[in-house]
Structure formats: C-alpha cells, structure tokens
Amino acid sequence: MGEHSKTTFPQEILDRWTGSGLDLNALFSAGHLGERMSVTVVEASPERVVGTMPVEGNTQPYGLLHGGASAVLAETLGSVGAMLHGGPTRIAVGVDLNCTHHRGVRSGLVTGVATPVHRGRTSATYEIVITDEQDRRVCSARLTCVIREQATG
C-alpha cells in the first residue's frame, strides 16, 4: 500500500500547520486511490513535491503503465503542492489536468516531481514530470487547482 508516513516536510511547513488540528501526513498523502495504487509522497513543500509509484499493478492490458495511473500520480503531487501553498485554512480543488504520455514503461518505479508554474491567491498551477528509473521522461502533466476557503460547519 502507499505510505504517507515517510513524507518529508520542510520545517517552515511544519511550523505553519502546527496548531491547525490537522494531521499533516494524512492530509497530504496519496489518499485512498493513491494507496490502492501504492503512490508514496516522499517530499512535500509548495515549491516541490516528489512521489513514486510502482508500474506493477498499475498497467493496462498491453502491460504498459496505464495513462490513468500517471494522471493519478500527477494530480496527487500537484494537489499536495497547491494545498501546501494555500495553507491550513484553505483547500485546493483540481479543475484542469492535462497529461502527455511520452514513452511506455513495463516495470520498475516511476517518480513524479511537481513544481509550480503559477501560485496565486485563488489558483495554483503545477507542472508534473514523471520519469522512469533511467530518468527518462514518461509523462508531462499540468494541473490547475482553485484555492478557496474551507467551508466551516
């Protein structure tokens, strides 16, 4: 299963979220879908989010990494970056995801790195580059999230 307990957060993020009453590791994990796909968020900050996913178990009928699996990894990493950018009182909701698949992968681990293209008050866009174990680009993705205040009960 995917693991979120190994995520490394910079001290400034830990300080910013202290006292929020939220479990930072759980909130910025891959979620239930990511867990089923064994996505692991390794490093997380508004400037850079890194995660991995095995190819095995995430393939299409031809034995290649499923494009939808790459999309799940990309949206997970970009969303984590946007949420961290928004801060503890705001949420980020993905509104546009674009993925271009460059090469097939049949085995091993893929790594995604999300970096910001735009971080504003009401939206954030991240570029996510997914590579194979030989550091060859497998997928280029772009995610835009709307950032809004959390609804209070």
Side-chain angles (χ1 to χ4, degrees):
M1 288 296 200
E3 303 208 1
H4 58 264
S5 60
K6 295 180 180 176
T7 306
T8 301
F9 296 97
Q11 189 61 48
E12 64 205 38
I13 294 298
L14 296 173
D15 293 344
R16 186 174 181 196
W17 290 76
T18 296
S20 68
L22 300 170
D23 179 348
L24 198 59
N25 279 309
L27 185 62
F28 298 113
S29 71
H32 294 296
L33 177 59
E35 286 179 10
R36 279 191 290 252
M37 298 176 71
S38 298
V39 171
T40 300
V41 178
V42 178
E43 170 189 330
S45 75
E47 294 79 25
R48 179 179 157 93
V49 182
V50 179
T52 61
M53 179 180 66
V55 173
E56 184 179 357
N58 295 313
T59 58
Q60 38 88 311
Y62 297 118
L64 299 170
L65 177 64
H66 196 291
S70 293
V72 167
L73 179 59
E75 185 150 359
T76 297
L77 301 179
S79 293
V80 167
M83 286 287 291
L84 287 169
H85 167 66
T89 64
R90 307 183 87 204
I91 62 169
V93 179
V95 294
D96 183 65
L97 176 65
N98 175 281
C99 298
T100 301
H101 307 288
H102 304 292
R103 73 172 52 245
V105 181
R106 293 187 179 277
S107 63
L109 195 70
V110 292
T111 299
V113 178
T115 55
V117 174
H118 166 78
R119 289 187 296 160
R121 187 177 57 79
T122 59
S123 70
T125 300
Y126 280 77
E127 176 186 38
I128 304 94
V129 175
I130 300 173
T131 57
D132 64 13
E133 290 179 314
Q134 288 74 46
D135 203 30
R136 296 176 298 192
R137 191 177 290 228
V138 172
C139 176
S140 298
R142 187 190 68 245
L143 173 70
T144 298
C145 292
V146 169
I147 299 174
R148 38 193 299 193
E149 293 298 322
Q150 287 190 45
T152 55

PDB file of all heavy atoms in Angstrom, residues 9 20 37 45 48 51 59 67 96-97 107 110-111 117 124 131 149 153:
ATOM      1  N   PHE A   9       8.636  17.047   5.177  1.00  0.00           N
ATOM      2  CA  PHE A   9       8.143  18.414   5.048  1.00  0.00           C
ATOM      3  C   PHE A   9       9.217  19.363   5.570  1.00  0.00           C
ATOM      4  O   PHE A   9       9.851  19.076   6.587  1.00  0.00           O
ATOM      5  CB  PHE A   9       6.883  18.631   5.891  1.00  0.00           C
ATOM      6  CG  PHE A   9       5.712  17.803   5.459  1.00  0.00           C
ATOM      7  CD1 PHE A   9       5.409  16.615   6.086  1.00  0.00           C
ATOM      8  CD2 PHE A   9       4.898  18.222   4.416  1.00  0.00           C
ATOM      9  CE1 PHE A   9       4.321  15.849   5.692  1.00  0.00           C
ATOM     10  CE2 PHE A   9       3.806  17.468   4.013  1.00  0.00           C
ATOM     11  CZ  PHE A   9       3.515  16.271   4.659  1.00  0.00           C
ATOM     12  N   SER A  20      -3.094  23.566  13.804  1.00  0.00           N
ATOM     13  CA  SER A  20      -4.258  23.556  12.917  1.00  0.00           C
ATOM     14  C   SER A  20      -5.228  22.436  13.271  1.00  0.00           C
ATOM     15  O   SER A  20      -6.366  22.435  12.825  1.00  0.00           O
ATOM     16  CB  SER A  20      -3.815  23.393  11.453  1.00  0.00           C
ATOM     17  OG  SER A  20      -3.262  22.103  11.241  1.00  0.00           O
ATOM     18  N   MET A  37      -2.978   2.291  -5.367  1.00  0.00           N
ATOM     19  CA  MET A  37      -2.013   2.274  -6.463  1.00  0.00           C
ATOM     20  C   MET A  37      -0.574   2.330  -5.958  1.00  0.00           C
ATOM     21  O   MET A  37       0.359   2.410  -6.743  1.00  0.00           O
ATOM     22  CB  MET A  37      -2.306   3.440  -7.406  1.00  0.00           C
ATOM     23  CG  MET A  37      -3.690   3.305  -8.030  1.00  0.00           C
ATOM     24  SD  MET A  37      -4.133   4.699  -9.048  1.00  0.00           S
ATOM     25  CE  MET A  37      -3.041   4.433 -10.428  1.00  0.00           C
ATOM     26  N   SER A  45       6.548  20.300  -0.318  1.00  0.00           N
ATOM     27  CA  SER A  45       6.589  21.715   0.020  1.00  0.00           C
ATOM     28  C   SER A  45       5.842  22.439  -1.105  1.00  0.00           C
ATOM     29  O   SER A  45       5.591  21.839  -2.152  1.00  0.00           O
ATOM     30  CB  SER A  45       8.032  22.233   0.120  1.00  0.00           C
ATOM     31  OG  SER A  45       8.596  22.382  -1.163  1.00  0.00           O
ATOM     32  N   ARG A  48       8.049  22.199  -4.280  1.00  0.00           N
ATOM     33  CA  ARG A  48       8.441  20.921  -4.886  1.00  0.00           C
ATOM     34  C   ARG A  48       7.779  19.772  -4.134  1.00  0.00           C
ATOM     35  O   ARG A  48       7.895  19.682  -2.920  1.00  0.00           O
ATOM     36  CB  ARG A  48       9.955  20.787  -4.830  1.00  0.00           C
ATOM     37  CG  ARG A  48      10.531  19.521  -5.384  1.00  0.00           C
ATOM     38  CD  ARG A  48      12.055  19.582  -5.252  1.00  0.00           C
ATOM     39  NE  ARG A  48      12.665  18.273  -5.247  1.00  0.00           N
ATOM     40  CZ  ARG A  48      13.133  17.653  -6.323  1.00  0.00           C
ATOM     41  NH1 ARG A  48      13.049  18.241  -7.491  1.00  0.00           N
ATOM     42  NH2 ARG A  48      13.691  16.466  -6.233  1.00  0.00           N
ATOM     43  N   GLY A  51       6.973  12.241  -5.550  1.00  0.00           N
ATOM     44  CA  GLY A  51       6.297  10.992  -5.194  1.00  0.00           C
ATOM     45  C   GLY A  51       6.678   9.884  -6.149  1.00  0.00           C
ATOM     46  O   GLY A  51       7.196  10.134  -7.252  1.00  0.00           O
ATOM     47  N   THR A  59      -0.902  -1.228 -14.618  1.00  0.00           N
ATOM     48  CA  THR A  59      -0.717  -1.346 -16.058  1.00  0.00           C
ATOM     49  C   THR A  59      -2.051  -1.525 -16.782  1.00  0.00           C
ATOM     50  O   THR A  59      -3.055  -1.909 -16.190  1.00  0.00           O
ATOM     51  CB  THR A  59       0.191  -2.544 -16.391  1.00  0.00           C
ATOM     52  OG1 THR A  59      -0.389  -3.732 -15.850  1.00  0.00           O
ATOM     53  CG2 THR A  59       1.595  -2.350 -15.829  1.00  0.00           C
ATOM     54  N   GLY A  67      -2.043   5.117 -18.567  1.00  0.00           N
ATOM     55  CA  GLY A  67      -2.022   6.576 -18.604  1.00  0.00           C
ATOM     56  C   GLY A  67      -2.811   7.179 -17.453  1.00  0.00           C
ATOM     57  O   GLY A  67      -2.449   8.225 -16.921  1.00  0.00           O
ATOM     58  N   ASP A  96      -8.352  21.381 -13.745  1.00  0.00           N
ATOM     59  CA  ASP A  96      -7.866  21.054 -15.079  1.00  0.00           C
ATOM     60  C   ASP A  96      -6.607  20.210 -14.958  1.00  0.00           C
ATOM     61  O   ASP A  96      -5.675  20.580 -14.246  1.00  0.00           O
ATOM     62  CB  ASP A  96      -7.553  22.331 -15.870  1.00  0.00           C
ATOM     63  CG  ASP A  96      -7.109  22.020 -17.292  1.00  0.00           C
ATOM     64  OD1 ASP A  96      -7.938  21.498 -18.057  1.00  0.00           O
ATOM     65  OD2 ASP A  96      -5.935  22.287 -17.622  1.00  0.00           O
ATOM     66  N   LEU A  97      -6.607  19.075 -15.638  1.00  0.00           N
ATOM     67  CA  LEU A  97      -5.440  18.197 -15.675  1.00  0.00           C
ATOM     68  C   LEU A  97      -5.177  17.821 -17.126  1.00  0.00           C
ATOM     69  O   LEU A  97      -6.083  17.381 -17.833  1.00  0.00           O
ATOM     70  CB  LEU A  97      -5.691  16.930 -14.846  1.00  0.00           C
ATOM     71  CG  LEU A  97      -4.582  15.868 -14.884  1.00  0.00           C
ATOM     72  CD1 LEU A  97      -3.289  16.398 -14.254  1.00  0.00           C
ATOM     73  CD2 LEU A  97      -5.049  14.608 -14.186  1.00  0.00           C
ATOM     74  N   SER A 107       7.947  -1.954 -16.217  1.00  0.00           N
ATOM     75  CA  SER A 107       8.319  -2.430 -14.876  1.00  0.00           C
ATOM     76  C   SER A 107       9.041  -1.317 -14.123  1.00  0.00           C
ATOM     77  O   SER A 107       9.380  -0.279 -14.695  1.00  0.00           O
ATOM     78  CB  SER A 107       9.228  -3.660 -14.983  1.00  0.00           C
ATOM     79  OG  SER A 107      10.441  -3.315 -15.626  1.00  0.00           O
ATOM     80  N   VAL A 110       8.127   4.567 -11.088  1.00  0.00           N
ATOM     81  CA  VAL A 110       8.171   5.889 -11.718  1.00  0.00           C
ATOM     82  C   VAL A 110       8.176   6.939 -10.610  1.00  0.00           C
ATOM     83  O   VAL A 110       7.639   6.718  -9.521  1.00  0.00           O
ATOM     84  CB  VAL A 110       7.008   6.123 -12.709  1.00  0.00           C
ATOM     85  CG1 VAL A 110       7.155   5.219 -13.930  1.00  0.00           C
ATOM     86  CG2 VAL A 110       5.662   5.936 -12.062  1.00  0.00           C
ATOM     87  N   THR A 111       8.806   8.063 -10.907  1.00  0.00           N
ATOM     88  CA  THR A 111       8.909   9.164  -9.951  1.00  0.00           C
ATOM     89  C   THR A 111       8.327  10.418 -10.584  1.00  0.00           C
ATOM     90  O   THR A 111       8.641  10.736 -11.732  1.00  0.00           O
ATOM     91  CB  THR A 111      10.385   9.426  -9.587  1.00  0.00           C
ATOM     92  OG1 THR A 111      10.921   8.238  -8.986  1.00  0.00           O
ATOM     93  CG2 THR A 111      10.520  10.592  -8.602  1.00  0.00           C
ATOM     94  N   VAL A 117       4.092  26.464 -11.576  1.00  0.00           N
ATOM     95  CA  VAL A 117       4.157  27.333 -12.739  1.00  0.00           C
ATOM     96  C   VAL A 117       3.559  28.681 -12.343  1.00  0.00           C
ATOM     97  O   VAL A 117       4.030  29.730 -12.756  1.00  0.00           O
ATOM     98  CB  VAL A 117       3.364  26.718 -13.914  1.00  0.00           C
ATOM     99  CG1 VAL A 117       3.292  27.673 -15.090  1.00  0.00           C
ATOM    100  CG2 VAL A 117       3.961  25.386 -14.326  1.00  0.00           C
ATOM    101  N   ALA A 124      -3.589  27.812  -8.383  1.00  0.00           N
ATOM    102  CA  ALA A 124      -2.192  27.375  -8.466  1.00  0.00           C
ATOM    103  C   ALA A 124      -2.093  26.365  -9.597  1.00  0.00           C
ATOM    104  O   ALA A 124      -2.965  25.506  -9.748  1.00  0.00           O
ATOM    105  CB  ALA A 124      -1.738  26.747  -7.155  1.00  0.00           C
ATOM    106  N   THR A 131       9.151  10.388 -14.500  1.00  0.00           N
ATOM    107  CA  THR A 131      10.277   9.719 -15.154  1.00  0.00           C
ATOM    108  C   THR A 131      10.375   8.268 -14.700  1.00  0.00           C
ATOM    109  O   THR A 131       9.866   7.897 -13.635  1.00  0.00           O
ATOM    110  CB  THR A 131      11.605  10.433 -14.848  1.00  0.00           C
ATOM    111  OG1 THR A 131      11.784  10.497 -13.427  1.00  0.00           O
ATOM    112  CG2 THR A 131      11.630  11.841 -15.426  1.00  0.00           C
ATOM    113  N   GLU A 149     -11.425  29.147   0.501  1.00  0.00           N
ATOM    114  CA  GLU A 149     -11.544  28.994   1.955  1.00  0.00           C
ATOM    115  C   GLU A 149     -12.296  27.708   2.262  1.00  0.00           C
ATOM    116  O   GLU A 149     -13.214  27.319   1.531  1.00  0.00           O
ATOM    117  CB  GLU A 149     -12.284  30.173   2.568  1.00  0.00           C
ATOM    118  CG  GLU A 149     -11.535  31.507   2.476  1.00  0.00           C
ATOM    119  CD  GLU A 149     -10.204  31.507   3.220  1.00  0.00           C
ATOM    120  OE1 GLU A 149     -10.110  30.908   4.310  1.00  0.00           O
ATOM    121  OE2 GLU A 149      -9.253  32.098   2.697  1.00  0.00           O
ATOM    122  N   GLY A 153     -18.333  24.393   9.471  1.00  0.00           N
ATOM    123  CA  GLY A 153     -19.579  23.702   9.834  1.00  0.00           C
ATOM    124  C   GLY A 153     -20.397  24.490  10.702  1.00  0.00           C
ATOM    125  O   GLY A 153     -21.321  25.024  10.883  1.00  0.00           O
TER     126      GLY A 153
END
